[in-house]
PDB file of all heavy atoms in Angstrom:
ATOM      1  N   GLU A  12     191.214 170.167 -17.921  1.00  0.00           N
ATOM      2  CA  GLU A  12     189.950 170.341 -17.238  1.00  0.00           C
ATOM      3  C   GLU A  12     188.914 169.485 -17.953  1.00  0.00           C
ATOM      4  O   GLU A  12     189.033 169.206 -19.137  1.00  0.00           O
ATOM      5  CB  GLU A  12     189.525 171.801 -17.185  1.00  0.00           C
ATOM      6  CG  GLU A  12     189.310 172.453 -18.508  1.00  0.00           C
ATOM      7  CD  GLU A  12     188.919 173.927 -18.350  1.00  0.00           C
ATOM      8  OE1 GLU A  12     188.647 174.382 -17.228  1.00  0.00           O
ATOM      9  OE2 GLU A  12     188.880 174.602 -19.367  1.00  0.00           O
ATOM     10  N   LEU A  13     187.918 169.038 -17.205  1.00  0.00           N
ATOM     11  CA  LEU A  13     186.951 168.081 -17.726  1.00  0.00           C
ATOM     12  C   LEU A  13     185.589 168.373 -17.102  1.00  0.00           C
ATOM     13  O   LEU A  13     185.492 168.621 -15.899  1.00  0.00           O
ATOM     14  CB  LEU A  13     187.394 166.669 -17.372  1.00  0.00           C
ATOM     15  CG  LEU A  13     186.545 165.498 -17.795  1.00  0.00           C
ATOM     16  CD1 LEU A  13     186.507 165.386 -19.315  1.00  0.00           C
ATOM     17  CD2 LEU A  13     187.093 164.216 -17.198  1.00  0.00           C
ATOM     18  N   TYR A  14     184.549 168.353 -17.918  1.00  0.00           N
ATOM     19  CA  TYR A  14     183.173 168.516 -17.458  1.00  0.00           C
ATOM     20  C   TYR A  14     182.461 167.172 -17.603  1.00  0.00           C
ATOM     21  O   TYR A  14     182.810 166.383 -18.476  1.00  0.00           O
ATOM     22  CB  TYR A  14     182.437 169.564 -18.305  1.00  0.00           C
ATOM     23  CG  TYR A  14     183.094 170.913 -18.288  1.00  0.00           C
ATOM     24  CD1 TYR A  14     184.068 171.240 -19.226  1.00  0.00           C
ATOM     25  CD2 TYR A  14     182.748 171.861 -17.334  1.00  0.00           C
ATOM     26  CE1 TYR A  14     184.675 172.482 -19.222  1.00  0.00           C
ATOM     27  CE2 TYR A  14     183.355 173.106 -17.314  1.00  0.00           C
ATOM     28  CZ  TYR A  14     184.317 173.410 -18.269  1.00  0.00           C
ATOM     29  OH  TYR A  14     184.922 174.635 -18.239  1.00  0.00           O
ATOM     30  N   SER A  15     181.448 166.920 -16.772  1.00  0.00           N
ATOM     31  CA  SER A  15     180.710 165.664 -16.890  1.00  0.00           C
ATOM     32  C   SER A  15     179.248 165.860 -16.504  1.00  0.00           C
ATOM     33  O   SER A  15     178.914 166.747 -15.714  1.00  0.00           O
ATOM     34  CB  SER A  15     181.344 164.574 -16.017  1.00  0.00           C
ATOM     35  OG  SER A  15     181.244 164.916 -14.662  1.00  0.00           O
ATOM     36  N   ALA A  16     178.404 165.025 -17.082  1.00  0.00           N
ATOM     37  CA  ALA A  16     176.982 164.982 -16.752  1.00  0.00           C
ATOM     38  C   ALA A  16     176.603 163.510 -16.616  1.00  0.00           C
ATOM     39  O   ALA A  16     176.974 162.682 -17.456  1.00  0.00           O
ATOM     40  CB  ALA A  16     176.154 165.646 -17.842  1.00  0.00           C
ATOM     41  N   LEU A  17     175.880 163.170 -15.555  1.00  0.00           N
ATOM     42  CA  LEU A  17     175.507 161.789 -15.260  1.00  0.00           C
ATOM     43  C   LEU A  17     174.005 161.706 -15.060  1.00  0.00           C
ATOM     44  O   LEU A  17     173.419 162.557 -14.391  1.00  0.00           O
ATOM     45  CB  LEU A  17     176.208 161.326 -13.983  1.00  0.00           C
ATOM     46  CG  LEU A  17     175.760 159.993 -13.393  1.00  0.00           C
ATOM     47  CD1 LEU A  17     176.391 158.842 -14.159  1.00  0.00           C
ATOM     48  CD2 LEU A  17     176.091 159.910 -11.929  1.00  0.00           C
ATOM     49  N   LEU A  18     173.388 160.682 -15.635  1.00  0.00           N
ATOM     50  CA  LEU A  18     171.991 160.362 -15.391  1.00  0.00           C
ATOM     51  C   LEU A  18     171.931 158.883 -15.051  1.00  0.00           C
ATOM     52  O   LEU A  18     172.436 158.046 -15.803  1.00  0.00           O
ATOM     53  CB  LEU A  18     171.124 160.642 -16.622  1.00  0.00           C
ATOM     54  CG  LEU A  18     169.658 160.195 -16.535  1.00  0.00           C
ATOM     55  CD1 LEU A  18     168.937 160.893 -15.393  1.00  0.00           C
ATOM     56  CD2 LEU A  18     168.954 160.445 -17.846  1.00  0.00           C
ATOM     57  N   GLU A  19     171.319 158.558 -13.905  1.00  0.00           N
ATOM     58  CA  GLU A  19     171.300 157.172 -13.431  1.00  0.00           C
ATOM     59  C   GLU A  19     169.936 156.841 -12.845  1.00  0.00           C
ATOM     60  O   GLU A  19     169.316 157.663 -12.184  1.00  0.00           O
ATOM     61  CB  GLU A  19     172.383 157.026 -12.361  1.00  0.00           C
ATOM     62  CG  GLU A  19     172.657 155.638 -11.909  1.00  0.00           C
ATOM     63  CD  GLU A  19     173.845 155.595 -10.977  1.00  0.00           C
ATOM     64  OE1 GLU A  19     173.700 156.026  -9.814  1.00  0.00           O
ATOM     65  OE2 GLU A  19     174.914 155.154 -11.409  1.00  0.00           O
ATOM     66  N   LEU A  20     169.465 155.625 -13.125  1.00  0.00           N
ATOM     67  CA  LEU A  20     168.251 155.080 -12.521  1.00  0.00           C
ATOM     68  C   LEU A  20     168.636 153.873 -11.693  1.00  0.00           C
ATOM     69  O   LEU A  20     169.517 153.104 -12.089  1.00  0.00           O
ATOM     70  CB  LEU A  20     167.249 154.649 -13.596  1.00  0.00           C
ATOM     71  CG  LEU A  20     166.629 155.751 -14.439  1.00  0.00           C
ATOM     72  CD1 LEU A  20     165.770 155.133 -15.535  1.00  0.00           C
ATOM     73  CD2 LEU A  20     165.814 156.700 -13.592  1.00  0.00           C
ATOM     74  N   SER A  21     167.985 153.691 -10.553  1.00  0.00           N
ATOM     75  CA  SER A  21     168.278 152.521  -9.728  1.00  0.00           C
ATOM     76  C   SER A  21     166.976 151.943  -9.176  1.00  0.00           C
ATOM     77  O   SER A  21     166.021 152.660  -8.905  1.00  0.00           O
ATOM     78  CB  SER A  21     169.230 152.874  -8.585  1.00  0.00           C
ATOM     79  OG  SER A  21     168.670 153.852  -7.748  1.00  0.00           O
ATOM     80  N   HIS A  22     166.974 150.630  -9.035  1.00  0.00           N
ATOM     81  CA  HIS A  22     165.815 149.898  -8.525  1.00  0.00           C
ATOM     82  C   HIS A  22     166.306 148.998  -7.397  1.00  0.00           C
ATOM     83  O   HIS A  22     167.278 148.286  -7.542  1.00  0.00           O
ATOM     84  CB  HIS A  22     165.197 149.049  -9.638  1.00  0.00           C
ATOM     85  CG  HIS A  22     164.062 148.188  -9.175  1.00  0.00           C
ATOM     86  ND1 HIS A  22     162.806 148.690  -8.946  1.00  0.00           N
ATOM     87  CD2 HIS A  22     164.001 146.876  -8.876  1.00  0.00           C
ATOM     88  CE1 HIS A  22     162.012 147.705  -8.543  1.00  0.00           C
ATOM     89  NE2 HIS A  22     162.730 146.588  -8.490  1.00  0.00           N
ATOM     90  N   ARG A  23     165.607 149.038  -6.267  1.00  0.00           N
ATOM     91  CA  ARG A  23     166.000 148.217  -5.126  1.00  0.00           C
ATOM     92  C   ARG A  23     164.765 147.510  -4.598  1.00  0.00           C
ATOM     93  O   ARG A  23     163.740 148.128  -4.369  1.00  0.00           O
ATOM     94  CB  ARG A  23     166.603 149.089  -4.046  1.00  0.00           C
ATOM     95  CG  ARG A  23     167.139 148.318  -2.868  1.00  0.00           C
ATOM     96  CD  ARG A  23     167.814 149.264  -1.902  1.00  0.00           C
ATOM     97  NE  ARG A  23     168.803 150.076  -2.593  1.00  0.00           N
ATOM     98  CZ  ARG A  23     170.112 149.958  -2.434  1.00  0.00           C
ATOM     99  NH1 ARG A  23     170.593 149.086  -1.599  1.00  0.00           N
ATOM    100  NH2 ARG A  23     170.939 150.736  -3.098  1.00  0.00           N
ATOM    101  N   GLU A  24     164.898 146.217  -4.448  1.00  0.00           N
ATOM    102  CA  GLU A  24     163.807 145.429  -3.881  1.00  0.00           C
ATOM    103  C   GLU A  24     164.394 144.245  -3.133  1.00  0.00           C
ATOM    104  O   GLU A  24     165.037 143.378  -3.734  1.00  0.00           O
ATOM    105  CB  GLU A  24     162.866 144.950  -4.987  1.00  0.00           C
ATOM    106  CG  GLU A  24     161.573 144.408  -4.458  1.00  0.00           C
ATOM    107  CD  GLU A  24     160.484 144.372  -5.509  1.00  0.00           C
ATOM    108  OE1 GLU A  24     160.563 145.068  -6.518  1.00  0.00           O
ATOM    109  OE2 GLU A  24     159.552 143.614  -5.281  1.00  0.00           O
ATOM    110  N   GLY A  25     164.205 144.221  -1.829  1.00  0.00           N
ATOM    111  CA  GLY A  25     164.753 143.152  -1.012  1.00  0.00           C
ATOM    112  C   GLY A  25     166.277 143.151  -1.070  1.00  0.00           C
ATOM    113  O   GLY A  25     166.920 144.170  -0.888  1.00  0.00           O
ATOM    114  N   LYS A  26     166.854 142.002  -1.384  1.00  0.00           N
ATOM    115  CA  LYS A  26     168.311 141.855  -1.431  1.00  0.00           C
ATOM    116  C   LYS A  26     168.914 142.230  -2.785  1.00  0.00           C
ATOM    117  O   LYS A  26     170.120 142.260  -2.936  1.00  0.00           O
ATOM    118  CB  LYS A  26     168.693 140.412  -1.111  1.00  0.00           C
ATOM    119  CG  LYS A  26     168.364 140.004   0.298  1.00  0.00           C
ATOM    120  CD  LYS A  26     168.825 138.596   0.546  1.00  0.00           C
ATOM    121  CE  LYS A  26     168.626 138.208   1.998  1.00  0.00           C
ATOM    122  NZ  LYS A  26     169.269 136.946   2.310  1.00  0.00           N
ATOM    123  N   LEU A  27     168.065 142.526  -3.776  1.00  0.00           N
ATOM    124  CA  LEU A  27     168.520 142.814  -5.137  1.00  0.00           C
ATOM    125  C   LEU A  27     168.449 144.302  -5.434  1.00  0.00           C
ATOM    126  O   LEU A  27     167.442 144.953  -5.169  1.00  0.00           O
ATOM    127  CB  LEU A  27     167.661 142.051  -6.146  1.00  0.00           C
ATOM    128  CG  LEU A  27     168.018 142.228  -7.618  1.00  0.00           C
ATOM    129  CD1 LEU A  27     169.391 141.632  -7.911  1.00  0.00           C
ATOM    130  CD2 LEU A  27     166.956 141.577  -8.484  1.00  0.00           C
ATOM    131  N   SER A  28     169.521 144.836  -5.987  1.00  0.00           N
ATOM    132  CA  SER A  28     169.504 146.218  -6.466  1.00  0.00           C
ATOM    133  C   SER A  28     170.090 146.252  -7.870  1.00  0.00           C
ATOM    134  O   SER A  28     171.069 145.569  -8.169  1.00  0.00           O
ATOM    135  CB  SER A  28     170.262 147.154  -5.530  1.00  0.00           C
ATOM    136  OG  SER A  28     171.634 146.885  -5.553  1.00  0.00           O
ATOM    137  N   LEU A  29     169.458 147.029  -8.738  1.00  0.00           N
ATOM    138  CA  LEU A  29     169.887 147.197 -10.125  1.00  0.00           C
ATOM    139  C   LEU A  29     170.047 148.679 -10.397  1.00  0.00           C
ATOM    140  O   LEU A  29     169.254 149.493  -9.924  1.00  0.00           O
ATOM    141  CB  LEU A  29     168.839 146.615 -11.079  1.00  0.00           C
ATOM    142  CG  LEU A  29     168.451 145.169 -10.869  1.00  0.00           C
ATOM    143  CD1 LEU A  29     167.223 144.835 -11.704  1.00  0.00           C
ATOM    144  CD2 LEU A  29     169.612 144.257 -11.223  1.00  0.00           C
ATOM    145  N   LYS A  30     171.082 149.033 -11.167  1.00  0.00           N
ATOM    146  CA  LYS A  30     171.225 150.423 -11.571  1.00  0.00           C
ATOM    147  C   LYS A  30     171.799 150.480 -12.972  1.00  0.00           C
ATOM    148  O   LYS A  30     172.524 149.589 -13.403  1.00  0.00           O
ATOM    149  CB  LYS A  30     172.061 151.226 -10.587  1.00  0.00           C
ATOM    150  CG  LYS A  30     173.539 150.914 -10.590  1.00  0.00           C
ATOM    151  CD  LYS A  30     174.258 151.832  -9.611  1.00  0.00           C
ATOM    152  CE  LYS A  30     175.731 151.507  -9.585  1.00  0.00           C
ATOM    153  NZ  LYS A  30     176.466 152.396  -8.691  1.00  0.00           N
ATOM    154  N   GLY A  31     171.451 151.528 -13.670  1.00  0.00           N
ATOM    155  CA  GLY A  31     171.955 151.746 -15.015  1.00  0.00           C
ATOM    156  C   GLY A  31     172.037 153.229 -15.272  1.00  0.00           C
ATOM    157  O   GLY A  31     171.266 154.016 -14.714  1.00  0.00           O
ATOM    158  N   GLY A  32     172.980 153.617 -16.090  1.00  0.00           N
ATOM    159  CA  GLY A  32     173.113 155.042 -16.353  1.00  0.00           C
ATOM    160  C   GLY A  32     174.050 155.353 -17.492  1.00  0.00           C
ATOM    161  O   GLY A  32     174.696 154.465 -18.058  1.00  0.00           O
ATOM    162  N   VAL A  33     174.083 156.631 -17.821  1.00  0.00           N
ATOM    163  CA  VAL A  33     174.991 157.144 -18.842  1.00  0.00           C
ATOM    164  C   VAL A  33     175.741 158.337 -18.258  1.00  0.00           C
ATOM    165  O   VAL A  33     175.218 159.082 -17.430  1.00  0.00           O
ATOM    166  CB  VAL A  33     174.243 157.558 -20.134  1.00  0.00           C
ATOM    167  CG1 VAL A  33     173.675 156.345 -20.837  1.00  0.00           C
ATOM    168  CG2 VAL A  33     173.167 158.572 -19.854  1.00  0.00           C
ATOM    169  N   LYS A  34     177.000 158.482 -18.690  1.00  0.00           N
ATOM    170  CA  LYS A  34     177.826 159.616 -18.282  1.00  0.00           C
ATOM    171  C   LYS A  34     178.455 160.210 -19.528  1.00  0.00           C
ATOM    172  O   LYS A  34     179.079 159.507 -20.320  1.00  0.00           O
ATOM    173  CB  LYS A  34     178.918 159.177 -17.311  1.00  0.00           C
ATOM    174  CG  LYS A  34     179.831 160.323 -16.897  1.00  0.00           C
ATOM    175  CD  LYS A  34     180.807 159.936 -15.796  1.00  0.00           C
ATOM    176  CE  LYS A  34     181.858 158.994 -16.299  1.00  0.00           C
ATOM    177  NZ  LYS A  34     182.947 158.777 -15.342  1.00  0.00           N
ATOM    178  N   TYR A  35     178.267 161.503 -19.719  1.00  0.00           N
ATOM    179  CA  TYR A  35     178.864 162.231 -20.834  1.00  0.00           C
ATOM    180  C   TYR A  35     179.970 163.109 -20.273  1.00  0.00           C
ATOM    181  O   TYR A  35     179.756 163.816 -19.284  1.00  0.00           O
ATOM    182  CB  TYR A  35     177.804 163.078 -21.543  1.00  0.00           C
ATOM    183  CG  TYR A  35     178.322 163.833 -22.738  1.00  0.00           C
ATOM    184  CD1 TYR A  35     178.728 163.146 -23.876  1.00  0.00           C
ATOM    185  CD2 TYR A  35     178.420 165.206 -22.727  1.00  0.00           C
ATOM    186  CE1 TYR A  35     179.208 163.829 -24.984  1.00  0.00           C
ATOM    187  CE2 TYR A  35     178.894 165.898 -23.826  1.00  0.00           C
ATOM    188  CZ  TYR A  35     179.287 165.205 -24.941  1.00  0.00           C
ATOM    189  OH  TYR A  35     179.766 165.877 -26.038  1.00  0.00           O
ATOM    190  N   GLN A  36     181.158 163.046 -20.879  1.00  0.00           N
ATOM    191  CA  GLN A  36     182.298 163.850 -20.451  1.00  0.00           C
ATOM    192  C   GLN A  36     182.770 164.690 -21.632  1.00  0.00           C
ATOM    193  O   GLN A  36     182.766 164.209 -22.761  1.00  0.00           O
ATOM    194  CB  GLN A  36     183.466 162.963 -20.003  1.00  0.00           C
ATOM    195  CG  GLN A  36     183.142 162.049 -18.871  1.00  0.00           C
ATOM    196  CD  GLN A  36     184.342 161.194 -18.508  1.00  0.00           C
ATOM    197  OE1 GLN A  36     184.838 161.297 -17.419  1.00  0.00           O
ATOM    198  NE2 GLN A  36     184.792 160.340 -19.411  1.00  0.00           N
ATOM    199  N   TRP A  37     183.230 165.916 -21.373  1.00  0.00           N
ATOM    200  CA  TRP A  37     183.714 166.751 -22.459  1.00  0.00           C
ATOM    201  C   TRP A  37     184.708 167.782 -21.940  1.00  0.00           C
ATOM    202  O   TRP A  37     184.733 168.109 -20.764  1.00  0.00           O
ATOM    203  CB  TRP A  37     182.558 167.421 -23.190  1.00  0.00           C
ATOM    204  CG  TRP A  37     181.878 168.520 -22.433  1.00  0.00           C
ATOM    205  CD1 TRP A  37     182.126 169.865 -22.532  1.00  0.00           C
ATOM    206  CD2 TRP A  37     180.847 168.390 -21.445  1.00  0.00           C
ATOM    207  NE1 TRP A  37     181.310 170.558 -21.672  1.00  0.00           N
ATOM    208  CE2 TRP A  37     180.518 169.686 -20.999  1.00  0.00           C
ATOM    209  CE3 TRP A  37     180.170 167.308 -20.889  1.00  0.00           C
ATOM    210  CZ2 TRP A  37     179.549 169.925 -20.044  1.00  0.00           C
ATOM    211  CZ3 TRP A  37     179.204 167.544 -19.933  1.00  0.00           C
ATOM    212  CH2 TRP A  37     178.899 168.831 -19.521  1.00  0.00           C
ATOM    213  N   ASN A  38     185.540 168.259 -22.858  1.00  0.00           N
ATOM    214  CA  ASN A  38     186.394 169.417 -22.635  1.00  0.00           C
ATOM    215  C   ASN A  38     186.623 170.065 -24.000  1.00  0.00           C
ATOM    216  O   ASN A  38     185.909 169.749 -24.953  1.00  0.00           O
ATOM    217  CB  ASN A  38     187.699 169.050 -21.905  1.00  0.00           C
ATOM    218  CG  ASN A  38     188.615 168.132 -22.687  1.00  0.00           C
ATOM    219  OD1 ASN A  38     188.460 167.952 -23.887  1.00  0.00           O
ATOM    220  ND2 ASN A  38     189.573 167.551 -22.001  1.00  0.00           N
ATOM    221  N   THR A  39     187.598 170.945 -24.121  1.00  0.00           N
ATOM    222  CA  THR A  39     187.790 171.667 -25.387  1.00  0.00           C
ATOM    223  C   THR A  39     188.382 170.794 -26.486  1.00  0.00           C
ATOM    224  O   THR A  39     188.296 171.138 -27.658  1.00  0.00           O
ATOM    225  CB  THR A  39     188.702 172.888 -25.177  1.00  0.00           C
ATOM    226  OG1 THR A  39     189.949 172.438 -24.621  1.00  0.00           O
ATOM    227  CG2 THR A  39     188.055 173.894 -24.245  1.00  0.00           C
ATOM    228  N   ARG A  40     188.948 169.634 -26.133  1.00  0.00           N
ATOM    229  CA  ARG A  40     189.601 168.776 -27.128  1.00  0.00           C
ATOM    230  C   ARG A  40     188.781 167.576 -27.562  1.00  0.00           C
ATOM    231  O   ARG A  40     188.904 167.100 -28.676  1.00  0.00           O
ATOM    232  CB  ARG A  40     190.941 168.268 -26.591  1.00  0.00           C
ATOM    233  CG  ARG A  40     191.945 169.360 -26.339  1.00  0.00           C
ATOM    234  CD  ARG A  40     193.215 168.818 -25.750  1.00  0.00           C
ATOM    235  NE  ARG A  40     192.866 167.997 -24.591  1.00  0.00           N
ATOM    236  CZ  ARG A  40     193.591 167.004 -24.127  1.00  0.00           C
ATOM    237  NH1 ARG A  40     194.707 166.699 -24.716  1.00  0.00           N
ATOM    238  NH2 ARG A  40     193.217 166.313 -23.088  1.00  0.00           N
ATOM    239  N   ALA A  41     187.945 167.036 -26.678  1.00  0.00           N
ATOM    240  CA  ALA A  41     187.270 165.771 -26.995  1.00  0.00           C
ATOM    241  C   ALA A  41     186.025 165.602 -26.126  1.00  0.00           C
ATOM    242  O   ALA A  41     185.774 166.393 -25.221  1.00  0.00           O
ATOM    243  CB  ALA A  41     188.227 164.603 -26.770  1.00  0.00           C
ATOM    244  N   SER A  42     185.276 164.552 -26.427  1.00  0.00           N
ATOM    245  CA  SER A  42     184.134 164.177 -25.597  1.00  0.00           C
ATOM    246  C   SER A  42     183.943 162.669 -25.704  1.00  0.00           C
ATOM    247  O   SER A  42     184.420 162.029 -26.638  1.00  0.00           O
ATOM    248  CB  SER A  42     182.865 164.909 -26.039  1.00  0.00           C
ATOM    249  OG  SER A  42     182.491 164.508 -27.335  1.00  0.00           O
ATOM    250  N   ASN A  43     183.239 162.104 -24.723  1.00  0.00           N
ATOM    251  CA  ASN A  43     182.898 160.690 -24.802  1.00  0.00           C
ATOM    252  C   ASN A  43     181.631 160.411 -23.991  1.00  0.00           C
ATOM    253  O   ASN A  43     181.218 161.217 -23.163  1.00  0.00           O
ATOM    254  CB  ASN A  43     184.066 159.766 -24.411  1.00  0.00           C
ATOM    255  CG  ASN A  43     184.544 159.948 -22.996  1.00  0.00           C
ATOM    256  OD1 ASN A  43     183.782 160.208 -22.082  1.00  0.00           O
ATOM    257  ND2 ASN A  43     185.848 159.782 -22.802  1.00  0.00           N
TER     258      ASN A  43
END
């Protein structure tokens, strides 16, 4: 089993779109 949390920002203007974010994953054995 695995849990996750995501935070993302995105910018869109005309034909260009940019996005960036972080995702944290964890369970009882490890995290990243």
Side-chain angles (χ1 to χ4, degrees):
E12 62 181 350
L13 180 65
Y14 302 90
S15 65
L17 170 79
L18 174 61
E19 189 173 74
L20 293 175
S21 60
H22 176 78
R23 185 176 307 250
E24 193 161 340
K26 294 183 175 190
L27 181 66
S28 68
L29 305 169
K30 72 177 179 178
V33 292
K34 178 173 70 170
Y35 182 68
Q36 301 179 117
W37 72 96
N38 65 15
T39 57
R40 296 177 308 154
S42 65
N43 61 35

